[in-house]
């Protein structure tokens, strides 16, 4: 594809891209506006673009205490998030691997999130956030561990059995979630794990593992086998060469796969709704405000949607460099 030098054509392309960007951003922008409106403004027959913004929806969503009482804790939380952002964006200037710095920032954020209810009277929606964090991180760790080992094995040991495994994994992934959720439900009832994080993590791993294996295998296929053979000639075993040589090269691919796995686990609704009764995750928690006749539910649902999106947005911003590098390396062969 050649770059056009025609000014009119370039102008039309930029206009089309701008309109497409606005088309994609408009729904989320409208949700943000609805989240800071009063119910009477959000439910007005004629859409109101001028209104007095309010933070009551977020306070009602997250807190069981007065906002003025939460103000000191909120200020400390904002400062903490700001410092994490500074560390994350300055990772290249810190004498340590960027991946470790990012993982440290995420771990620090998770620890603060878990400890916050001990000092602040949080609402039920905060419990949904903690459940989502536990389930997502658990699914991510198990899926990447199994997927990396399986993808490496299928990429290096090419046999007809490997083809059968890949085809079976693809067929299992193509099944609708509704065909799997009832067996998972009965399994949870028989094992006594119903409404627990462990059951939901195992089921999400089972559903998303074929995708993880296929994607990681494609990245492993791009790494020349001579690299690990050189390490084994120097005395390293296969596992040692995998951990010390292949995994560092594979970090962009692992992070890219991890981000997709994170999105699949974080946004799952069906499995979390059927396999849990009390320990709901964020998508299930939002659903309680998407129906009914209470006009206040519209603004609460909007505030919940914005709050659910922000953590994922922060993670994507931190790892965008690895995401782009991983997608590019997986798309180019040779």
């Amino acid at each position: 594809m050649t770059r056009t030098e025609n000014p009119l054509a370039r102008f039309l392309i930029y206009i089309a891209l701008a309109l497409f960007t606005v088309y994609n951003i408009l729904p989320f922008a409208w949700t943000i506006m609805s989240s800071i409106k009063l119910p009477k403004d959000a439910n007005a027959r004629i859409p109101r673009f001028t209104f007095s913004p309010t933070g009551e929806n977020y306070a009602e969503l997250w807190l069981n205490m007065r906002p003025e009482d939460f103000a000191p804790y909120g200020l400390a939380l904002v400062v903490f998030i700001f410092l994490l952002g500074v560390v994350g964006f300055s990772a290249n200037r810190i004498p340590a691997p960027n991946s470790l710095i990012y993982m440290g920032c995420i771990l620090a954020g998770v620890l603060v999130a878990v400890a916050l209810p001990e000092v602040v009277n949080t609402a039920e929606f905060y419990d949904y956030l903690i459940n989502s964090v536990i389930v997502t991180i658990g699914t991510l760790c198990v899926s990447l561990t199994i997927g990396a080992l399986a993808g490496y094995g299928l990429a290096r040991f090419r046999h007809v059995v490997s083809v059968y495994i890949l085809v079976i994994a693809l067929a299992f992934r193509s099944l609708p979630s509704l065909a799997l959720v009832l067996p998972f439900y009965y399994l949870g009832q028989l094992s006594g794990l119903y409404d627990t994080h462990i059951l939901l993590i195992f089921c999400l791993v089972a559903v998303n593992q074929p995708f993880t294996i296929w994607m990681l295998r494609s990245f492993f296929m791009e790494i020349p086998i001579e690299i690990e053979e050189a390490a084994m000639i120097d005395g390293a075993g296969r596992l040692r060469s995998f951990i010390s040589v292949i995994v560092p090269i594979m970090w962009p691919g692992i992070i890219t796969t991890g981000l997709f796995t994170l999105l699949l686990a974080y946004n799952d609704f069906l499995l979390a709704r059927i396999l849990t009764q009390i320990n709901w995750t964020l998508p299930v928690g939002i659903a309680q405000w998407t129906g009914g006749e209470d006009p206040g539910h519209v603004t609460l649902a909007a505030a919940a949607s914005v709050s659910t999106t922000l953590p994922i947005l922060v993670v994507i911003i931190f790892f965008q460099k690895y995401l782009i590098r991983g997608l590019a390396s997986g798309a180019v062969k040779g």
Side-chain angles (χ1 to χ4, degrees), residues 29-42:
W30 183 260
T31 303
I32 295 176
M33 290 177 58
S34 299
S35 69
I36 57 176
K37 288 181 178 180
L38 293 173
K40 64 177 182 179
D41 295 325

Side-chain angles (χ1 to χ4, degrees), residues 249-266:
I249 299 175
M250 270 285 297
W251 263 122
I254 292 174
I255 292 177
T256 302
T257 307
L259 289 175
F260 283 108
T261 303
L262 182 145
L263 291 174
L264 291 171
Y266 187 80

Side-chain angles (χ1 to χ4, degrees), residues 27-36 58 61-62 125 266 286 299-313:
F28 187 64
W30 183 260
T31 303
I32 295 176
M33 290 177 58
S34 299
S35 69
I36 57 176
Y58 291 95
L61 183 71
W62 291 104
F125 195 77
Y266 187 80
I286 294 175
T299 54
L300 286 176
S305 300
V306 174
S307 301
T308 302
T309 305
L310 289 180
I312 294 296
L313 185 62

Side-chain angles (χ1 to χ4, degrees), residues 139 143 173 203-213 261 264-265:
T139 304
S143 293
R173 185 66 181 90
C203 293
L204 287 172
V205 168
V207 171
N208 297 324
Q209 196 65 76
F211 166 80
T212 307
I213 293 174
T261 303
L264 291 171

Side-chain angles (χ1 to χ4, degrees), residues 55-308:
E56 294 179 0
N57 300 313
Y58 291 95
E60 182 179 352
L61 183 71
W62 291 104
L63 300 174
N64 280 331
M65 58 190 299
R66 296 183 304 173
E68 51 269 24
D69 295 335
F70 175 73
Y73 305 103
L75 180 61
L77 191 61
V78 170
V79 172
F80 174 76
I81 294 174
F82 175 77
L83 292 177
L84 284 184
V86 171
V87 172
F89 286 109
S90 305
N92 293 329
R93 302 180 180 180
I94 300 176
N98 290 356
S99 57
L100 292 181
I101 296 174
Y102 294 147
M103 294 302 296
C105 292
I106 294 175
L107 180 60
V110 170
L111 293 177
V112 170
V114 173
L116 188 62
E118 301 296 329
V119 295
V120 176
N121 188 8
T122 55
E124 189 177 22
F125 195 77
Y126 190 84
D127 297 333
Y128 302 155
L129 172 64
I130 299 300
N131 293 334
S132 288
V133 171
I134 294 173
V135 170
T136 302
I137 293 179
T139 304
L140 190 63
C141 293
V142 177
S143 293
L144 289 182
T145 302
I146 299 176
L149 294 173
Y152 174 76
L154 293 172
R156 289 294 181 259
F157 303 97
R158 303 179 187 180
H159 192 269
V160 65
V161 178
S162 301
V163 178
Y164 290 152
I165 293 175
L166 290 171
V167 172
I168 292 173
L170 183 62
F172 185 78
R173 185 66 181 90
S174 64
L175 291 174
S177 298
L178 193 59
L180 305 172
V181 69
L182 289 181
F184 289 152
Y185 174 82
Y186 289 121
L187 179 63
Q189 292 287 352
L190 292 174
S191 62
L193 294 177
Y194 178 73
D195 197 24
T196 62
H197 297 139
I198 296 177
L199 176 65
L200 189 54
I201 289 172
F202 284 166
C203 293
L204 287 172
V205 168
V207 171
N208 297 324
Q209 196 65 76
F211 166 80
T212 307
I213 293 174
W214 268 90
M215 193 164 185
L216 287 174
R217 176 184 174 272
S218 67
F219 286 115
F220 282 120
M221 294 285 288
E222 304 300 324
I223 300 178
I225 193 172
E226 290 79 11
I227 295 178
E228 58 197 277
E229 288 179 347
M232 287 187 283
I233 290 175
D234 291 337
R238 184 169 292 277
L239 181 60
R240 179 64 181 273
S241 64
F242 172 76
I243 296 175
S244 302
V245 178
I246 302 300
V247 170
I249 299 175
M250 270 285 297
W251 263 122
I254 292 174
I255 292 177
T256 302
T257 307
L259 289 175
F260 283 108
T261 303
L262 182 145
L263 291 174
L264 291 171
Y266 187 80
N267 294 322
D268 182 82
F269 173 81
L270 182 62
L271 290 175
R273 179 64 185 89
I274 296 179
L275 299 179
T276 58
Q277 187 174 7
I278 299 176
N279 295 315
W280 287 356
T281 56
L282 288 174
V284 183
I286 294 175
Q288 64 182 312
W289 293 303
T290 56
E293 299 179 356
D294 190 342
H297 286 178
V298 174
T299 54
L300 286 176
S305 300
V306 174
S307 301
T308 302

